[in-house]
Amino acid sequence: MELDFFSPVNEELVGGAGNKLGSSLRLHLADKAFPDLEGVKIVIFGVLEDRLDEEPSGEPFNLDGIRWEFYNLYPGNWHLPMADLGDIQKGETVEDTFFAVQSVVNMCLKKGIIPVIIGGSQDLVYAQYRAYDGVEQMVNLVNIDSRFDLGDADKPISNRSYVGRIVVTKPYNLFNYSNLGYQTYFNSQDEIELMDRLFFDAYRLGEVTGDITSIEPVMRDANLVGMDLGAISGGALGNYRLKSPNGFDGKEICSLARYAGISDKVTSFGVFEYTSRLNFPAANMLIAQVLWYFAEGVNYRKNENTISSKKEFIRYQVPIDDEILVFYKSPLSGRWWIEIPFISPANNKLKRHTLLPCTQGDYLDACNQIIPERWYKTKRKNEI
């Protein structure tokens, strides 16, 4: 682990934790050795970078409030080895900060540890994504956000254009991008149409909140997940002066965090857009609970991505027009998948995407001769 990147955790935050999370975490403290990460499943670290924020607060921020609330939560009925590495400070340039984040996330991926990033501006997702450059697979990015953040890829990267930069910058690792909770009035029609042309997935806020369980398959197919705190309503964050009267409430955002945690494929998770404007108790507590629910989800993973697990799946075939859709159901969890056919042996995009997570509703729709939209989009991407 790149120790020089991190400033230690404030030791005063640990006092009084008792049998709460703060007493079980392996912490990077100033007067102690860097924590041993052997056997650790999740590492948490902050990134105090916000220079590419298009609406900067102009004030420095720290994550002490979030840590205080998180350390003072009780663990669930689970014993998940976790560590808090401290914070990555602003580098001399933003690129230096990106390099540090990319290096740490990449190291975690190689060690089989899930990094949880608490950050400033969401352009840090670009560095999180670039950590997958050395991993031989296509990557699915899920973003919980009221905006697509595609922006203008020809302009300098910002917290509103990092997804566009991901799409156009080599190496091209991105297989799919899914946005959860977009609000139409925050996104131009050009961006909405571009999402459709690229066969990316976009779910409006009302669509997600209307049936939040329908989002579980989207999270189950994700490799990295980013959460923009701007997707949460100002009321849920405890401050009606914030510019987001609409958005997810506390229960909904924690449900999404748990779905991300329980996904066998998610290997990194980030919470972004924390600024000095959010440094008050309700917001800090909600973010702490988001981290708690993600950790609980990780604890209850089923490890159904293994070949041996898939051999136990129940197989269903459904003829539709000229297609035969093949569905699989896990007898262990009751979850469903649909098979994506290879177009040709030369196209290797789907080496790790032969089974697409879906819902039982998708299977029932197929039985009624309705082709699932996510299956169609994934198949079309493989044909391009």
Side-chain angles (χ1 to χ4, degrees):
M1 190 62 68
E2 302 288 350
L3 310 186
D4 294 341
F5 291 143
F6 294 102
S7 58
V9 171
N10 181 354
E11 193 163 0
E12 294 179 0
L13 301 174
V14 187
N19 59 347
K20 299 176 183 177
L21 282 174
S23 63
S24 61
L25 288 169
R26 303 183 194 181
L27 301 176
H28 175 202
L29 300 173
D31 59 346
K32 295 184 180 179
F34 197 82
D36 179 11
L37 300 182
E38 184 66 32
V40 166
K41 187 62 178 177
I42 293 175
V43 296
I44 299 167
F45 64 92
V47 186
L48 307 183
E49 177 64 78
D50 62 352
R51 283 174 285 186
L52 298 184
D53 190 334
E54 290 191 2
E55 297 181 359
S57 67
E59 299 178 9
F61 65 97
N62 65 63
L63 306 173
D64 285 359
I66 298 172
R67 285 192 167 98
W68 173 261
E69 301 294 355
F70 184 64
Y71 292 173
N72 281 283
L73 296 176
Y74 289 100
N77 188 24
W78 36 266
H79 303 282
L80 196 68
M82 295 188 288
D84 188 340
L85 306 183
D87 295 327
I88 294 177
Q89 301 287 333
K90 289 182 179 179
E92 184 173 336
T93 66
V94 175
E95 289 72 22
D96 292 335
T97 309
F98 279 13
F99 175 78
V101 173
Q102 180 178 340
S103 299
V104 172
V105 173
N106 183 261
M107 184 68 70
C108 288
L109 296 177
K110 291 179 179 178
K111 291 180 176 291
I113 298 172
I114 302 170
V116 174
I117 307 162
I118 311 171
S121 49
Q122 202 177 10
D123 49 275
L124 292 165
V125 170
Y126 182 78
Q128 179 186 358
Y129 163 79
R130 287 267 74 104
Y132 289 78
D133 286 351
V135 179
E136 294 182 0
Q137 69 178 73
M138 299 296 285
V139 174
N140 289 341
L141 165 63
V142 170
N143 190 19
I144 303 167
D145 202 334
S146 60
R147 294 175 168 87
F148 297 139
D149 294 335
L150 289 167
D152 186 343
D154 293 328
K155 294 181 180 179
I157 187 173
S158 75
N159 64 334
R160 297 283 173 82
S161 66
Y162 61 92
V163 175
R165 181 62 60 88
I166 286 173
V167 171
V168 303
T169 306
K170 295 181 179 180
Y172 304 124
N173 299 331
L174 185 68
F175 182 75
N176 192 42
Y177 170 56
S178 299
N179 173 281
L180 306 181
Y182 83 94
Q183 298 175 40
T184 307
Y185 36 72
F186 288 147
N187 299 276
S188 70
Q189 286 302 308
D190 288 342
E191 283 190 310
I192 293 173
E193 292 170 6
L194 179 58
M195 289 285 289
D196 191 54
R197 289 199 302 273
L198 294 172
F199 301 106
F200 289 159
D201 299 319
Y203 301 85
R204 290 182 65 173
L205 176 65
E207 185 180 359
V208 179
T209 58
D211 181 11
I212 204 160
T213 61
S214 66
I215 298 304
E216 183 275 329
V218 180
M219 286 295 195
R220 204 185 334 147
D221 201 37
N223 300 108
L224 65 156
V225 176
M227 177 186 293
D228 184 334
L229 293 171
I232 305 171
S233 71
L237 291 167
N239 190 342
Y240 287 94
R241 291 178 295 177
L242 294 174
K243 286 171 49 177
S244 52
N246 286 314
F248 293 109
D249 64 24
K251 179 181 177 182
E252 292 159 351
I253 204 70
C254 287
S255 294
L256 293 175
R258 192 178 191 277
Y259 284 146
I262 210 168
S263 167
D264 294 323
K265 291 178 64 175
V266 169
T267 48
S268 68
F269 180 71
V271 179
F272 302 99
E273 297 297 323
Y274 186 83
T275 70
S276 58
R277 290 188 289 257
L278 288 178
N279 186 19
F280 43 87
N284 291 331
M285 174 58 85
L286 181 55
I287 297 166
Q289 291 179 7
V290 163
L291 303 181
W292 189 97
Y293 274 102
F294 178 79
E296 181 181 66
V298 171
N299 182 78
Y300 288 111
R301 288 186 174 187
K302 302 293 186 182
N303 295 318
E304 289 181 323
N305 273 348
T306 62
I307 295 175
S308 59
S309 293
K310 291 175 182 176
K311 289 179 180 178
E312 304 298 323
F313 287 1
I314 304 167
R315 190 170 185 264
Y316 301 84
Q317 289 184 302
V318 182
I320 298 182
D321 298 331
D322 297 331
E323 303 277 359
I324 296 180
L325 304 190
V326 181
F327 289 85
Y328 293 86
K329 180 182 179 181
S330 165
L332 175 64
S333 66
R335 297 188 293 188
W336 288 78
W337 287 259
I338 184 172
E339 187 174 82
I340 305 298
F342 283 97
I343 303 306
S344 72
N347 192 326
N348 63 0
K349 276 186 179 181
L350 291 183
K351 276 188 176 179
R352 295 177 184 250
H353 296 265
T354 52
L355 291 186
L356 179 71
C358 66
T359 64
Q360 184 178 13
D362 291 323
Y363 167 71
L364 296 175
D365 283 345
C367 292
N368 290 317
Q369 301 299 290
I370 301 172
I371 292 179
E373 184 178 359
R374 289 185 65 240
W375 179 89
Y376 173 76
K377 284 184 175 181
T378 305
K379 182 173 180 289
R380 289 288 291 119
K381 277 200 288 283
N382 190 36
E383 293 171 345
I384 295 173

